[in-house]
Amino acid sequence: MPARTQDRPTEVTAAGIARLAGVGRAAVSNWRRRHADFPKPVGGTETSPAFALRDIEQWLRDQGKLAEVPLRERVWQQLVGHPAGAAAALRQAGAVLLLAHDRPAAWQQLRAAADDAELTGVLPAVLDAVLAARLGPGHPVRGLTREALAPSAALVRATGDLAAADGAAAAYDFLLGRHLDANPRQYTLTPPGPAALMAELAAVAGPSGTVLDPACGAGALLAAARERTAEESDGGERDAGERDAGESDAGESDAPVTLYGQEADADLAALTALRLALGVPDAQVRVRAADTLRADAFPDLAADAVLVHPPFNERNWGHDELAYDPRWEYGFPARTESELAWVQHALARLREGGTAVLLMPPAAASRRSGRRIRADLLRRGALRAVIALPAGAAPPNGVPLHLWVLRKPGTTPPAPQLLVVDAAGPATGAPAGRDKPDWQTVRTTAVEAWRTFDRDGGIEEQPGVRRSLAAIDLLDDDVDLAPARHLPPPAAAGGPAELARIRERLTTTLARTTALTPRPDGGAAGPARWPLTTVGELARSGALVLRAGGAGTAPAGGAAPAVLTDHDVIGGDAPSGTLPEAPASGPAEEPVLLQAGDVVVPVLGGGAVARVTDDSTAGAALGRNLTLLRPDPAALDPWFLAGFLRGTANNRQASSYASTATRLDVRRLQLPRLPLADQRRYGQRFRDLAAFEGALRLTARLGEQLVQGLHDGLTDGSVTPD
């Protein structure tokens, strides 16, 4: 049986072939139909066949479509096509990368001296020693036996090559990141913004702290906590350097920070342990695989900080078997209050005075079934702050989540006060509606409020943003802790003077809209019978360049361009997205940057939309679900191109219908073959229509502001009925 498994080839899907060759999946389908020598499927299904990777590589080289498979892509395809599955292969690759990172000389000697059979035979013992040294006894990286590694010799060697090319940590970040991206429904990830904010609120000081995440997932919170302690340590070293040479640092410890994590998914626990061991090599990493509430792996831990993004709305969290658990110091949670079980677990694992920060669903602040536990948390001074975040900050993205900041009471607990902050509302300056939250504004609002409150025991009230409340004022029948319900509203739209300015702008814009209203004159007897061409044909002839969006990362420590998203294009807004950060030790991936005169088309659910970029948008990066068309100005007028792409019939014939969305095949969009002079005539008309459309959008927004401002002014008394 092991021999047959070892002989099974690494498989690759049509999507993987497209990535290897740098083409779309449609091109792969065309190759299969047009070339009789295209490799035959070796697995998969009729609708999603799989091919032998080595056969595909050879065919692509023979056809001149691939000079050499990129190393990252080769490792990834070997990983996803591994007979044991992607997660098991990623465990093996991660363990090899850790060996190459921690003991590079031993890895090079072992690799050079052994053939494939000897390499996979010797590796298990070597890997076990490295993993035990870095992750401690009981670590979750299992299954690295001789039999499991037997089919993996090619993957092991290619992984070592990738470590030499990119660095072990960057190589693992790439592989794990792609694995998580490829399985979005399987994993709930904490985005970098909320993770950094939670670490900052916890304020783990010094290099020798202990941090626990009992629902660690992919390890984002633990990595953010280590980054935070490193920043504080660097600041401390700079301060020490400024002191006199004779001064000492007595009492400071050189012990490294220790990161404790627990995750119920055994595969994810193993991958996270490897990620932390490679990504934060100066920290001690202790990750365990088990259900935290039922089988706590660290029952005697007294951590400096606990950070948790717990699973929400769990009914099967152990309510029946954990009724007498000593962790329920503030009350036994109801079956529907799994989040309050996580809150009390976090407090139970803190030292006195330690801080816990939990990402919570908003319902946990107001459900009647949890009011007694919330009341006791307030009375004893354990719950210190509730901070409302904007929708979209973290999954589930449609819900405006809360952060709960808790402090384990000591012998002299503080006066029971609660800080409430609404970092999601318009009073903070963060944009509302469909726009993405301004995360820097959110972070500044939350951190400044918490630090002032924590230092002074109270805070100056800011309407609509923050307030300090006495616990006694909250101990009613509901014990409702939702910040918005306890904050006085901000002044209505700046008062009557601001409303008058909005009215003046609306009047001016309405007048401009009237002037721009197009006249439907000059009609023809019937539809024109132009000779047509397609975007795909124009791209092949060189009349335009076609690029897909979504690639690119922000350079480490450098300025990154804003990202034009599909929502920005559909709504006519300025670029609002941000590029993901590049791996700390890896190169940044170049995004597609816009130029004035480019035509941008949403490909997913946008309807008949096309946008010509101007100087204000030039330099932004092209976002996901967008296609860029860059016309040759000597052959195509961009406004002519964009205008005809917006035709309803044109979009209908170029669209494919899926179960949940319409996807546009931009290459199938048609436009007439016209001389450049005629194109410019049409282009000017389409440009006028775009100006009219923009004026209508502005009119709608100003009207909404005026109506809401008048409602607010009348209801708070700043505007009178007269």
Side-chain angles (χ1 to χ4, degrees):
M1 181 68 72
R4 282 200 298 271
T5 302
Q6 188 169 357
D7 292 340
R8 179 178 168 182
T10 300
E11 297 176 0
V12 60
T13 63
I17 297 171
R19 281 195 295 267
L20 284 171
V23 299
R25 291 188 61 178
V28 178
S29 298
N30 288 335
W31 293 343
R32 291 186 63 196
R33 288 195 301 268
R34 293 166 51 192
H35 296 277
D37 61 340
F38 193 88
K40 303 301 180 185
V42 297
T45 65
E46 185 175 348
T47 57
S48 181
F51 306 84
L53 176 59
R54 60 174 178 265
D55 295 341
I56 290 296
E57 290 179 1
Q58 188 60 52
W59 187 86
L60 290 172
R61 289 194 186 94
D62 293 343
Q63 295 290 324
K65 301 181 186 299
L66 182 68
E68 183 57 51
V69 180
L71 179 58
R72 279 188 167 192
E73 195 62 41
R74 190 195 322 153
V75 176
W76 171 250
Q77 295 301 339
Q78 291 175 343
L79 189 147
V80 295
H82 196 279
L90 195 51
R91 282 200 306 272
Q92 297 173 8
V96 170
L97 288 169
L98 187 61
L99 170 61
H101 181 276
D102 284 9
R103 304 179 185 178
W107 160 245
Q108 291 299 336
Q109 182 179 3
L110 178 63
R111 184 184 177 197
D115 60 22
D116 286 357
E118 292 170 335
L119 180 64
T120 56
V122 174
L123 266 179
V126 178
L127 294 179
D128 281 348
V130 172
L131 291 166
R134 288 300 308 277
L135 302 176
H139 65 78
V141 187
R142 305 296 185 194
L144 302 180
T145 63
R146 178 191 296 264
E147 292 74 20
L149 289 170
S152 305
L155 174 63
V156 166
R157 293 188 184 277
T159 301
D161 293 338
L162 190 58
D166 292 358
Y172 191 72
D173 274 349
F174 165 74
L175 296 173
L176 178 60
R178 184 173 277 194
H179 175 68
L180 297 175
D181 289 343
N183 300 276
R185 296 183 181 180
Q186 186 175 346
Y187 306 112
T188 298
L189 306 179
T190 308
L197 173 58
M198 293 171 70
E200 197 163 359
L201 292 170
V204 186
S208 58
T210 56
V211 186
L212 168 68
D213 182 351
C216 64
L221 293 177
L222 291 173
R226 179 61 193 115
E227 185 176 346
R228 169 70 183 168
T229 61
E231 290 173 358
E232 294 215 352
S233 178
D234 290 344
E237 289 174 4
R238 285 193 296 271
D239 293 342
E242 293 169 359
R243 291 194 293 266
D244 292 337
E247 295 184 24
S248 66
D249 294 325
E252 293 186 2
S253 171
D254 293 329
V257 65
T258 305
L259 305 177
Y260 293 91
Q262 188 165 347
E263 168 57 43
D265 185 324
D267 281 337
L268 187 55
L271 302 183
T272 298
L274 290 165
R275 174 193 181 185
L276 294 172
L278 284 162
V280 285
D282 56 342
Q284 291 186 8
V285 176
R286 299 292 181 265
V287 176
R288 300 295 177 260
D291 182 328
T292 294
L293 295 181
R294 289 186 172 90
D296 183 11
F298 309 107
D300 301 321
L301 182 64
D304 295 301
V306 178
L307 304 175
V308 198
H309 179 178
F312 297 160
N313 302 318
E314 278 200 334
R315 297 299 180 96
N316 185 27
W317 58 267
H319 177 271
D320 294 338
E321 60 261 48
L322 297 174
Y324 301 102
D325 195 289
R327 289 173 292 183
W328 316 142
E329 187 177 343
Y330 299 86
F332 180 41
R335 187 185 302 276
T336 57
E337 294 287 353
S338 62
E339 297 87 4
L340 293 182
W342 286 100
V343 165
Q344 295 191 76
H345 174 83
L347 285 167
R349 294 298 160 262
L350 282 173
R351 63 167 173 80
E352 286 190 3
T355 304
V357 183
L358 287 87
L359 192 62
M360 301 282 281
S366 56
R367 281 190 297 241
R368 287 187 60 81
S369 54
R371 65 189 185 277
R372 292 184 178 178
I373 294 177
R374 293 196 299 272
D376 207 29
L377 290 169
L378 288 172
R379 287 192 198 96
R380 298 171 59 180
L383 181 58
R384 307 293 291 140
V386 177
I387 301 169
L389 300 178
N397 291 309
V399 179
L401 302 178
H402 290 173
L403 290 177
W404 284 24
V405 184
L406 301 109
R407 180 76 48 76
K408 185 163 186 175
T411 53
T412 56
Q417 293 275 330
L418 180 73
L419 169 70
V420 291
V421 179
D422 186 357
T428 65
R434 64 172 173 269
D435 295 334
K436 290 187 177 181
D438 179 351
W439 191 252
Q440 187 55 48
T441 300
V442 171
R443 184 173 176 176
T444 300
T445 301
V447 171
E448 286 184 354
W450 166 246
R451 286 181 176 173
T452 303
F453 174 82
D454 193 36
R455 181 186 67 241
D456 302 338
I459 197 169
E460 181 181 353
E461 181 180 297
Q462 185 176 343
V465 179
R466 65 191 193 189
R467 185 183 181 190
S468 175
L469 300 165
I472 191 67
D473 296 332
L474 297 166
L475 299 177
D476 54 16
D477 290 340
D478 295 322
V479 196
D480 191 334
L481 308 182
R485 296 194 175 100
H486 301 287
L487 290 170
E498 178 62 23
L499 292 177
R501 283 192 289 271
I502 293 174
R503 182 178 182 277
E504 290 174 5
R505 287 190 64 196
L506 178 59
T507 302
T508 303
T509 306
L510 283 170
R512 183 168 182 265
T513 303
T514 303
L516 289 170
T517 303
R519 295 194 307 268
D521 53 4
R529 301 298 181 185
W530 292 305
L532 299 175
T533 186
T534 65
V535 168
E537 291 171 351
L538 291 169
R540 286 192 292 273
S541 69
L544 59 81
V545 174
L546 208 61
R547 300 288 301 274
T553 53
V563 176
L564 183 72
T565 69
D566 52 348
H567 296 291
D568 299 332
V569 174
I570 295 168
D573 299 322
S576 65
T578 57
L579 288 172
E581 295 183 2
S585 56
E589 184 180 354
E590 290 293 330
V592 177
L593 299 181
L594 298 170
Q595 299 177 8
D598 288 342
V599 178
V600 181
V601 182
V603 297
L604 191 63
V609 178
R611 174 171 171 177
V612 180
T613 60
D614 55 17
D615 291 333
S616 65
T617 311
L622 187 68
R624 293 181 182 274
N625 298 322
L626 292 175
T627 296
L628 176 147
L629 290 78
R630 181 166 294 160
D632 179 355
L636 281 173
D637 180 83
W639 285 101
F640 165 81
L641 174 63
F644 274 94
L645 296 187
R646 287 191 59 171
T648 301
N650 201 2
N651 275 261
R652 186 180 295 120
Q653 66 85 27
S655 297
S656 61
Y657 292 85
S659 59
T660 58
T662 302
R663 188 168 188 89
L664 188 69
D665 185 351
V666 176
R667 290 178 176 272
R668 293 174 55 190
L669 288 168
Q670 298 176 335
L671 62 158
R673 296 180 183 271
L674 294 180
L676 191 57
D678 290 342
Q679 291 182 33
R680 288 171 177 160
R681 286 176 48 235
Y682 277 96
Q684 183 58 52
R685 187 70 164 174
F686 288 132
R687 187 193 294 260
D688 294 341
L689 283 174
F692 175 63
E693 185 178 39
L696 288 176
R697 283 199 183 102
L698 180 57
T699 300
R701 291 174 184 173
L702 290 172
E704 289 174 1
Q705 290 180 30
L706 182 60
V707 170
Q708 188 61 53
L710 286 170
H711 272 98
D712 293 344
L714 287 166
T715 55
D716 72 8
S718 61
V719 175
T720 66
D722 300 330

